[in-house]
Amino acid sequence: MKNKSSGVIEALVFDVDGTLADTERDGHRCAFNEAFEEYGIGWYWDVELYGRLLAVSGGKERIQFFIESFLPENQRPQHPDRLAAALHRIKTRRYIELVESGRLALRPGVKRLLKEARDAGLRLAIATTTTPDNVTTLLRHSLAEDAEKWFEVIAAGDVVLRKKPAPDVYLWALERLRLSPHQCMAFEDSENGLKSSLAAGLKTVITVSSYSVTDNFEGACVVLSDLGEPDAPFKTLAGNAYGRTYVDIALIERWAEKC
Ligand code: XBP
Ligand code: MG
């Protein structure tokens, strides 16, 4: 590994769903529906309904939110937590099969930036609400067989009780990195994710995803269409990208200084 770049940033902390890959509409949502069909419960989350359910982070929590807020009283199970856990186990198995089928690609610029960060001696971490196995499977199938090892810390799913927008998952990652929030830059895609990273004290770059275009990104350093590639510039939706067209370490250091 080369010597670390001379800036203030020691580590990049990435959200997963919507940030590393646009996984919700054609990934998680499909896995939930496959689980409902396998279980024989007769539910179906269409694209519009799932967009509303994304207000709640965490698959088990999202199922319980659906039961409490979208099912008529007489259709609610006696133990929603047990049903949610059972459905979520099936859903996770189905989601992993879906990722293993190669249907979910990394978003523009993600692989390039991760490699550049490693070459520059920056440390990498993940802070996500999704289930740990979902993360490692996505990394293995979309990045590299050993990509899990690229991340010093993978803070995922139930490692914390309070999911995003609570700051807990970012604080858990910072503690294990032994870094202060000011030494890190967070990458997120949603309002819940931004609230979480900001509450943990991290400056944050937003790349909007298919469900988060209308989210409130107040407090982000910048809001972009994606991380961009040298031959495929990002669009700046809010904030200052200093005339640049793709995110690299130099631009991240600039945001760390100016944001
Ligand atoms: C997004 C989430 C997760 C996924 C579903 O996580 O809220 O709950 O939607 O995954 P993030 P699980 O944006 O923080 O990566 O069913 O495993 O929770
Ligand atoms: Mg996300």
Side-chain angles (χ1 to χ4, degrees):
M1 195 187 295
K2 291 177 188 150
N3 291 333
K4 198 190 87 50
S5 58
S6 57
V8 293
I9 296 295
E10 297 279 341
L12 306 184
V13 188
F14 288 86
D15 163 55
V16 174
D17 294 307
T19 301
L20 291 187
D22 205 343
T23 55
E24 293 293 358
R25 190 189 59 202
D26 302 329
H28 288 296
R29 183 183 68 88
C30 301
F32 278 112
N33 287 326
E34 288 175 16
F36 300 152
E37 191 182 356
E38 180 176 328
Y39 195 85
I41 197 158
W43 298 347
Y44 181 77
W45 289 353
D46 64 22
V47 172
E48 188 277 330
L49 171 59
Y50 191 69
R52 292 159 69 193
L53 295 171
L54 276 174
V56 172
S57 291
K60 294 187 289 295
E61 294 80 355
R62 190 166 303 141
I63 294 170
Q64 293 203 51
F65 172 54
F66 170 71
I67 291 169
E68 283 143 25
S69 310
F70 291 81
L71 282 188
E73 192 114 8
N74 63 354
Q75 289 179 27
R76 289 180 203 156
Q78 216 171 358
H79 303 285
D81 53 338
R82 284 187 217 159
L83 175 61
L87 288 169
H88 195 253
R89 276 191 294 276
I90 302 170
K91 178 264 176 183
T92 299
R93 170 168 46 82
R94 290 298 190 116
Y95 180 76
I96 286 170
E97 286 165 6
L98 195 150
V99 174
E100 285 170 340
S101 72
R103 273 163 54 185
L104 294 176
L106 292 182
R107 296 191 63 189
V110 168
K111 192 165 195 170
R112 173 187 53 76
L113 181 60
L114 289 173
K115 288 187 170 181
E116 189 186 324
R118 281 161 56 85
D119 289 350
L122 289 184
R123 298 156 70 187
L124 296 176
I126 278 175
T128 174
T129 305
T130 198
T131 302
D133 285 352
N134 293 350
V135 184
T136 50
T137 308
L138 180 71
L139 294 177
R140 229 185 2 264
H141 285 267
S142 61
L143 203 50
E145 187 50 40
D146 67 341
E148 198 177 328
K149 296 194 192 74
W150 297 15
F151 297 84
E152 195 174 320
V153 173
I154 296 184
D158 293 335
V159 288
V160 292
L161 205 56
R162 298 189 317 161
K163 306 274 171 60
K164 297 176 184 176
D168 302 37
V169 70
Y170 276 98
L171 296 173
W172 195 94
L174 287 173
E175 196 184 328
R176 279 152 189 79
L177 284 167
R178 295 177 310 288
L179 289 174
S180 89
H182 314 296
Q183 294 173 289
C184 304
M185 183 65 75
F187 293 80
E188 272 285 352
D189 74 295
S190 69
E191 188 171 335
N192 272 346
L194 177 62
K195 281 179 182 161
S196 177
S197 57
L198 291 180
L202 284 91
K203 293 182 177 177
T204 306
V205 172
I206 292 288
T207 52
V208 298
S209 56
S210 45
Y211 273 117
S212 72
V213 180
T214 56
D215 280 10
N216 175 354
F217 292 122
E218 186 66 38
C221 285
V222 70
V223 181
L224 305 172
S225 55
D226 51 65
L227 293 175
E229 296 286 14
D231 59 354
F234 55 55
K235 290 184 193 62
T236 304
L237 306 175
N240 189 346
Y242 303 103
R244 299 291 312 284
T245 58
Y246 62 92
V247 178
D248 60 7
I249 304 302
L251 184 51
I252 292 167
E253 298 280 10
R254 189 83 185 269
W255 283 320
E257 220 180 283
K258 301 275 185 195
C259 172

